[in-house]
Amino acid sequence: EVQLVESGGGLVQPGGSLRLSCAAAGFTFDDYAIGWFRQAPGKAREGVSCIIGRDGRTSYADSVTGRFAVSIDNAKNTVYLQMNNLKPEDTAVYYCVGSEAYNDNDYADLCDRGFGSWGQGTQVTVSS
């Protein structure tokens, strides 16, 4: 059974940093991709970042490029989302999503459409 558990959210001031973790169970990253999505109250769900386990290829939404970085620790079977220079508009519940990914179509299904197994989410609040 695929399980994903997010942690690391919290309250941070604008300009601050947080690192979110997505602990995976039931699979390894060799054939999987992991995406990070977020949803703020009253707003549509937004894809934030994706990473392919096999080759480490990453992608980012324009709104977070240069501020966020996604990485994999295979030894811990965990994906991280390092978030720097946080802004109030980054406030949202952040989710990680995992899916098998063998080709670009699989990658797009996950990263663009969120097709996969979802974690329970972790709240990030950026406020002074």
Side-chain angles (χ1 to χ4, degrees):
E1 180 184 2
V2 173
Q3 287 188 326
L4 297 169
V5 179
E6 303 95 334
S7 61
L11 173 64
V12 63
Q13 293 185 341
S17 298
L18 282 175
R19 188 179 75 164
L20 304 184
S21 299
C22 173
F27 67 96
T28 62
F29 294 121
D30 292 347
D31 295 318
Y32 267 70
I34 299 292
W36 284 97
F37 287 77
R38 65 186 181 187
Q39 187 156 27
K43 294 187 178 180
R45 186 180 69 191
E46 177 186 17
V48 175
S49 180
C50 264
I51 185 166
I52 296 179
R54 185 181 310 111
D55 58 18
R57 182 163 35 127
T58 60
S59 61
Y60 298 93
D62 289 343
S63 58
V64 306
T65 296
R67 299 187 298 122
F68 290 13
V70 63
S71 62
I72 289 178
D73 185 334
N74 286 296
K76 296 183 178 179
N77 222 36
T78 298
V79 173
Y80 299 102
L81 184 67
Q82 178 67 43
M83 307 186 296
N84 299 323
N85 190 21
L86 283 160
K87 304 176 181 180
E89 51 264 42
D90 294 318
T91 296
V93 178
Y94 284 71
Y95 301 89
C96 63
V97 188
S99 178
E100 292 178 285
Y102 298 103
N103 52 53
D104 286 347
N105 285 336
D106 294 339
Y107 192 61
D109 280 343
L110 170 65
C111 300
D112 296 341
R113 292 177 277 277
F115 290 175
S117 299
W118 286 67
Q120 85 289 348
T122 185
Q123 176 71 47
V124 172
T125 303
V126 185
S127 175
S128 55

